[in-house]
Amino acid sequence: MSKVVTDVICPFCGTLCDDIEVVVSDDGKKIEDVYNACAIGAEKFLHAQAPDRVKRPRMQQPDGSYKEVSYDEAVEYTAQMLYKAKKPLMYGWSSTSCEAQSIGHEIAEKVGAVVDNTATVCHGTTLIAVQDVGIPSCTLGEIKNRADRIIFWGCNPCHAHPRHQSRYSVFPRGFFTNKGHTNRKVIVVDPRVTDTAKLADYHYQVEQGRDYELLSAFRVALRNEPLPEVVAGIPREKIIEGAEVMKSGRFGIIFFGMGVTQSLSKNHNIDNAISLTKDLNEFTKFSIMAMRGHYNVTGSGQVLGWQFGFPFSVDLSRGFARYNPGETSSNDLLVRGEVDAVFVIGSDPGAHFPISSVKQIAKLPSVCVDPHITPTTEISKLHVPVAFVGVEVAGNCYRMDNVPIEARKVVDPPEGVLTDVEFLTRVNARLDELMAGGK
Amino acid sequence: MAEYIIKNGFVFDPVQGIKGDKADIAVKDGKIVKSTEVSSKAKVIDASGKTVMAGAVEIHAHIAGPKVNEGRNYRPEDKLFQYRPKKGSVRMAGGFSIPTTFKTGYEYARMGYTTAMEAAMPPLYARHVHEEIRDTPIIDEGAYPVFGNNWFVLEYLKNREIENTAAYISWLLQASKGYAVKLVNPGGTEAWGWGLNCLTIDDPVPYFDITPREIVTGLIEANEYLGLPHSIHIHQNSLGNPGNYTVTLDTLRLAEGFKAKNKFGREQVMHSTHLQFHSYGGDSWANFESKSKEIMDYVNKQKNITVDTGCVTLDETTTMTADGPFEHHLTELNHLKWANVDVELETAAGVVPYIYSPDIKVCEIQWAIGLELALMAKDPMRCFITTDHPNAGPFTRYPRIFKWLMSEEARKKQIESFKHREKMIEATHIAGIDRELSLYEIAQMTRAGPAKALGLSHQYGGLAPGMDADIAIYDLNPEKPHKPEDIEKAFSAAAFVMKTGVPVVVDGEVVNNGNKRTIWVKAKVNENPQVMRDIRDKFLKYYSVTQANYDVSSHFVPNPHVIEVDATH
């Protein structure tokens, strides 16, 4: 007989769906099926059961091959590496629990590391814009219950956050929106005809990299000031019509993604988008929200915030926390050769950083803590496989609207495999010994 | 556990009525005991020439949770020149108006505070609040979940269903591990869901067909039905607006006729918080004036009300409140960055930086009002000193406020430095007040009073045998002449602080991360299938998380101190 575990959190994207049902074999060891999850989320659970999973740490040999080592050896290598390094980079944190992040920060404080998370190549620009102009936002339930104007700007939830629209933003029936999607008007701003754009009532096919101009044009249109005939490839009439749609709603929201955070103008785009939202609050109620990617990148920013006061790119190497993206952010440090060891957890810079940074990681002493084999594990000196957070171990996570939800444990990890928290706790303890003068 | 005896200090303890007499305080197993009960091995702490008080109790501050952290994350400038490096077991800590969790614990402890309450917890974010509380060292903490705009409460009270409201409060306190019933701009924050507000107690809440008046009285009734340790804790409507003192009086009058019913020694049925922001006269910023006298005349007469001051400290700070519409109003006023979060079915919050400048008339008047409230209080056991941290200023300025309250000379000096002193004097009463609060009154307003109002007088706020050994020793000799600055200096860095029997501060420096606890209230009520069904229904239809993922599990509260209430009738 199989049993069904309900109310499971999906540890894939920032939507953090918490209604997943997982069918587990009678002995509680094997996941048989996953209900309610999107294709990516289901695969996250099922993949944990892959027969070729790495179950012991692996040390890269001079010839590029891998040698299995014990967790004791892995702890020793990691602790020694961090202890000896003058300025190690401890990067990632977005696919692990807040509990693990917290122990990692304790380690970083001891060894004088730079702590950075995946926002550095994703919504870091958003965080910078928020530091400039603030952010009027809300929880996803507010969208479900109230919102009648939904704008997706530079994001494609159909593919990146597959259940976002059905759970929160377009289709659900809420308290004041009991007709579901027929209560709502959807605007998509994207240079491509994405599947999300195909769903929209209005698609603004903005010229690539011209988001700032279009945002400004909407702000001008709200004030009934004159506009040029065409802005960012969009005719004036369409811009005025869009502004009217926004103004005439009872409650609106702009969801935005990396199409605006990492295109030309970066944080200035977001600054302008937030300012548009603020302007709209003079006419009606409006919010704005970042479509966060990893399931706990938001949590990393939160824990860093309450422990050190900054959401990413936190440099602890001088004995107190410093924050200056561009100087204390991962790629800048790597490209300038300013770090002498790299510790990666819960992310894959090997796949997402510029090649110059990846080459630098490959040159340095490095550890990657990850259940999967990834491009990062392949260039790291040491690969430490761990249990999947949200599948094999519980832990707290923050959704894209900063709502914390505790991930659940569904099955046991393979025998002998440590969790992130266990591995970091052991490294932390070994560091205490090293610092007390032990060997 | 170690034994201690604190010898020869000048003791100020309102619980036992000790007004500066020399007395020894003995400590055993984390509690205060009679001097005869400790052995000869007890460690002696010499407090000769120093002031000894119980650890102070903070009744209202914003020190943990989503809006506090938004303040930290979106204000990197607040950390400038404010960092202290790691030292031994003490973590690195920084921030001024919104310090990191570590700094929050350390700075409270250094001032001799051993307990602090987070004044507004959005229940959906309770897990976040508790994660921060867990990472705040030394001080005992609790958090007040907000109820004044909660859809369950609005719907039950519309139908005058007090018992159902009480059952829901009991359920939510348990789910969120909360301490008390908080109301912030009752009705107005729900209205903010549509960009609207409720500015008087009779403005109807959109759709819900209920008024702030009905919400406040309903929650007083439900709170007393449950017999919770603390009364309702209310941030009133129309905060921060010229002329709002009439709304304040209207709200305070709602407590008339109610009597406190509880087993915790609490006498009030309403705690009205940061009263400074609610004591404004005039009808614009041009003729803005103090109405502290009108407000305190009423408070002094009504025994069933307690208040705290919300004193302005004249700093650059970060305002944050669940009063969403107010923060929008503020950003329109000062054009500084605005963060807002509307929380489904429950509440909202906003964050805006603010500079209380001694060169701005309105700020000068606000400064005066905060102090006037404390100086006009006839019963210091019912009026407590706060800054509504960080709204009117950071809590680290308490020693400066004590200085202003204890020294007319210090106040005069401050007034002299104001740019608009003549206009400010005209609009306030402060220049005509010569009262100087005594150390005993300070102990009442920061220790015994708040502990009693919180229903925690059996363990906090005093030095009687049986109470928790939370003790602060200040390098201030009440029998010797001292300058106003000496007061501020002594209270800024205590000579010695003990938290439940563990020395945590010595010579003004933190030496131990303490044994902090989280306090929450478990109120048992009769089974109520209707409320349970309503909760299930709302989670299925309107919340964005499932009911099973809403409760804060015990590992977020690793060292709980649960206060149990039996409200089965």
Side-chain angles (χ1 to χ4, degrees), chain A residues 18 99 109 131 135 137 139 141 146 278 285 302 306-309 396 398-399 401 404 406 408, chain B residues 69 79 83 91-92 101 125 127 131 135 190 192 331 337-338 340 342 344 543-544 546 549 553 555:
Chain A
D18 70 330
E99 289 81 352
E109 199 174 308
Q131 286 157 357
I135 181 161
S137 195
T139 65
R146 292 186 207 266
K278 194 171 168 176
K285 191 67 194 280
Q302 293 291 344
W306 77 66
Q307 296 196 338
F308 302 119
N396 202 29
Y398 284 72
R399 201 165 66 185
D401 55 357
E406 196 180 1
R408 284 165 191 265
Chain B
N69 219 29
K79 263 67 72 176
Y83 244 95
R91 302 283 299 265
M92 60 173 75
T101 49
Y125 286 92
R127 209 173 270 113
E131 278 205 293
D135 273 357
E190 165 52 34
W192 178 239
T331 189
K337 53 192 176 188
W338 173 48
N340 177 79
D342 294 351
E344 61 209 53
Y543 265 107
S544 63
T546 68
N549 286 319
S553 60
H555 93 263

Side-chain angles (χ1 to χ4, degrees), chain A residues 193-212:
Chain A
V193 186
T194 60
D195 284 340
T196 308
K198 285 178 197 159
L199 252 166
D201 297 296
Y202 305 88
H203 176 204
Y204 285 76
Q205 204 162 359
V206 62
E207 280 174 19
Q208 177 81 42
R210 300 280 176 177
D211 303 275
Y212 192 91

Side-chain angles (χ1 to χ4, degrees), chain A residues 334-387:
Chain A
L334 286 166
V335 168
R336 288 196 302 261
E338 282 185 31
V339 286
D340 52 354
V342 179
F343 174 93
V344 178
I345 186 167
S347 68
D348 187 8
H352 300 104
F353 276 13
I355 191 66
S356 47
S357 298
V358 180
K359 280 182 178 166
Q360 186 65 14
I361 297 174
K363 277 190 219 158
L364 293 170
S366 49
V367 176
C368 180
V369 181
D370 201 312
H372 310 88
I373 293 175
T374 68
T376 311
T377 63
E378 295 309 281
I379 56 159
S380 298
K381 304 290 174 296
L382 173 67
H383 171 206
V384 185
V386 280

Side-chain angles (χ1 to χ4, degrees), chain B residues 18-80:
Chain B
I18 306 175
K19 298 184 175 179
D21 300 343
K22 272 193 187 169
D24 295 347
I25 307 289
V27 173
K28 190 179 176 182
D29 297 334
K31 298 268 182 199
I32 291 168
V33 294
K34 286 183 187 155
S35 306
T36 49
E37 285 182 37
V38 289
S39 69
S40 56
K41 286 180 196 155
K43 199 172 168 202
V44 177
I45 290 160
D46 181 20
S48 331
K50 297 187 171 107
T51 292
V52 179
M53 290 183 182
V57 179
E58 167 71 272
I59 197 165
H60 185 107
H62 301 281
I63 44 178
K67 65 183 177 302
V68 183
N69 219 29
E70 186 65 37
R72 292 187 190 105
N73 271 339
Y74 99 143
R75 292 205 68 198
E77 66 273 19
D78 191 66
K79 263 67 72 176
L80 207 59

Side-chain angles (χ1 to χ4, degrees), chain A residues 38-335:
Chain A
C38 68
I40 315 171
E43 192 54 31
K44 174 114 197 192
F45 284 93
L46 296 168
H47 183 67
Q49 310 274 315
D52 58 347
R53 186 166 160 192
V54 180
K55 292 175 186 154
R56 288 295 174 269
R58 308 180 303 152
M59 190 76 85
Q60 203 182 67
Q61 301 303 300
D63 66 355
S65 65
Y66 284 93
K67 185 184 147 199
E68 192 175 296
V69 295
S70 68
Y71 273 106
D72 288 343
E73 288 169 281
V75 167
E76 186 64 25
Y77 176 87
T78 309
Q80 290 282 0
M81 178 189 89
L82 293 170
Y83 179 64
K84 285 177 193 153
K86 283 201 177 77
K87 190 173 185 175
L89 170 65
M90 296 181 76
Y91 174 78
W93 310 106
S94 302
S95 288
T96 189
S97 65
C98 295
E99 289 81 352
Q101 289 160 2
S102 196
I103 300 167
H105 297 172
E106 212 178 316
I107 293 173
E109 199 174 308
K110 275 181 195 159
V111 300
V114 179
V115 186
D116 200 4
N117 59 38
T118 54
T120 203
V121 287
C122 184
H123 274 287
T125 50
T126 305
L127 300 167
I128 293 169
V130 171
Q131 286 157 357
D132 288 337
V133 288
I135 181 161
S137 195
C138 61
T139 65
L140 289 164
E142 282 287 274
I143 309 305
K144 172 172 145 175
N145 289 319
R146 292 186 207 266
D148 57 358
R149 297 289 183 270
I150 313 288
I151 301 167
F152 292 108
W153 199 307
C155 59
N156 184 12
C158 282
H159 291 186
H161 299 85
R163 296 183 71 213
H164 188 280
Q165 291 163 300
S166 58
R167 272 175 70 82
Y168 314 114
S169 50
V170 178
F171 302 108
R173 292 188 298 139
F175 193 83
F176 296 105
T177 51
N178 56 12
K179 289 184 182 158
H181 74 281
T182 54
N183 267 123
R184 300 184 171 99
K185 283 196 163 48
V186 178
I187 299 177
V188 171
V189 184
D190 202 307
R192 300 176 302 168
V193 186
T194 60
D195 284 340
T196 308
K198 285 178 197 159
L199 252 166
D201 297 296
Y202 305 88
H203 176 204
Y204 285 76
Q205 204 162 359
V206 62
E207 280 174 19
Q208 177 81 42
R210 300 280 176 177
D211 303 275
Y212 192 91
E213 286 87 332
L214 186 57
L215 285 160
S216 301
F218 277 127
R219 296 182 67 192
V220 170
L222 285 182
R223 291 174 166 78
N224 296 321
E225 298 289 337
L227 276 170
E229 250 173 61
V230 178
V231 179
I234 310 290
R236 176 167 55 202
E237 294 68 35
K238 254 195 112 177
I239 295 169
I240 294 168
E241 187 188 0
E244 280 308 314
V245 171
M246 294 179 206
K247 259 202 247 186
S248 60
R250 291 189 304 178
F251 189 116
I253 175 104
I254 302 173
F255 290 107
F256 64 98
M258 285 172 65
V260 260
T261 66
Q262 295 298 331
S263 64
L264 203 68
S265 304
K266 295 206 164 187
N267 57 306
H268 301 288
N269 286 333
I270 313 310
D271 182 325
N272 215 2
I274 294 169
S275 300
L276 169 65
T277 312
K278 194 171 168 176
D279 291 352
L280 280 161
N281 271 281
E282 286 169 32
F283 303 98
T284 178
K285 191 67 194 280
F286 238 85
S287 275
I288 182 164
M289 194 185 299
M291 298 287 272
R292 305 305 298 268
H294 291 72
Y295 69 88
N296 199 25
V297 59
T298 313
S300 174
Q302 293 291 344
V303 182
L304 278 171
W306 77 66
Q307 296 196 338
F308 302 119
F310 309 108
F312 73 114
S313 295
V314 183
D315 181 352
L316 307 172
S317 65
R318 293 194 193 173
F320 55 92
R322 290 167 65 243
Y323 164 81
N324 193 11
E327 183 195 353
T328 62
S329 34
S330 303
N331 281 302
D332 305 272
L333 290 164
L334 286 166
V335 168

Side-chain angles (χ1 to χ4, degrees), chain B residues 61-353:
Chain B
H62 301 281
I63 44 178
K67 65 183 177 302
V68 183
N69 219 29
E70 186 65 37
R72 292 187 190 105
N73 271 339
Y74 99 143
R75 292 205 68 198
E77 66 273 19
D78 191 66
K79 263 67 72 176
L80 207 59
F81 311 123
Q82 297 292 337
Y83 244 95
R84 276 188 167 219
K86 176 179 168 61
K87 192 179 167 193
S89 62
V90 176
R91 302 283 299 265
M92 60 173 75
F96 175 65
S97 65
I98 13 152
T100 61
T101 49
F102 303 122
K103 188 165 181 183
T104 301
Y106 298 147
E107 290 300 318
Y108 266 120
R110 290 178 71 235
M111 298 191 309
Y113 277 70
T114 46
T115 307
M117 293 293 177
E118 160 55 49
M121 170 162 73
L124 185 61
Y125 286 92
R127 209 173 270 113
H128 179 166
V129 175
H130 284 289
E131 278 205 293
E132 286 198 28
I133 286 178
R134 185 176 59 185
D135 273 357
T136 308
I138 304 177
I139 53 173
D140 285 353
E141 283 181 280
Y144 312 150
V146 285
F147 285 93
N149 295 282
N150 185 299
W151 287 7
F152 290 90
V153 170
L154 300 184
E155 286 175 359
Y156 290 138
L157 290 182
K158 180 161 95 180
N159 303 323
R160 298 276 311 140
E161 295 169 15
I162 301 301
E163 196 178 332
N164 287 345
T165 311
Y168 174 73
I169 292 171
S170 150
W171 177 83
L172 193 65
L173 287 176
Q174 163 93 29
S176 67
K177 308 289 181 282
Y179 188 79
V181 175
K182 174 77 188 289
L183 293 80
V184 179
N185 188 0
T189 298
E190 165 52 34
W192 178 239
W194 303 118
L196 307 169
N197 199 358
C198 295
L199 285 169
T200 78
I201 64 167
D202 293 311
D203 286 1
V205 185
Y207 172 80
F208 286 94
D209 193 24
I210 187 172
T211 60
R213 177 194 297 275
E214 292 163 312
I215 300 170
V216 175
T217 49
L219 282 172
I220 293 178
E221 281 184 58
N223 200 84
E224 299 313 318
Y225 173 96
L226 288 166
L228 296 181
H230 191 34
S231 62
I232 65 157
H233 190 110
I234 180 167
H235 155 145
Q236 310 186 339
N237 301 81
S238 195
L239 172 138
N241 293 322
N244 67 4
Y245 81 105
T246 53
V247 183
T248 306
L249 287 172
D250 287 345
T251 312
L252 293 173
R253 283 191 197 105
L254 296 177
E256 284 175 16
F258 289 106
K259 198 170 164 3
K261 289 183 199 135
N262 66 93
K263 294 176 185 152
F264 300 91
R266 156 177 70 86
E267 290 173 33
Q268 89 280 8
V269 295
M270 177 192 285
H271 177 82
S272 178
T273 191
H274 41 69
L275 208 50
Q276 179 271 130
F277 289 115
H278 305 273
S279 305
Y280 297 164
D283 55 22
S284 74
W285 297 114
N287 61 9
F288 180 67
E289 60 175 348
S290 168
K291 287 288 177 187
S292 58
K293 190 170 183 313
E294 286 75 359
I295 297 291
M296 282 316 284
D297 281 350
Y298 182 80
V299 171
N300 285 334
K301 277 189 297 192
Q302 289 312 115
K303 290 262 182 273
N304 64 353
I305 296 172
T306 57
V307 300
D308 66 79
T309 55
C311 289
V312 165
T313 66
L314 304 169
D315 284 292
E316 175 177 327
T317 192
T318 314
T319 69
M320 51 183 65
T321 167
D323 194 335
F326 171 74
E327 292 290 351
H328 181 249
H329 174 67
L330 194 62
T331 189
E332 295 285 294
L333 209 65
N334 72 5
H335 302 290
L336 297 179
K337 53 192 176 188
W338 173 48
N340 177 79
V341 180
D342 294 351
V343 184
E344 61 209 53
L345 287 80
E346 295 178 351
T347 181
V351 189
V352 177

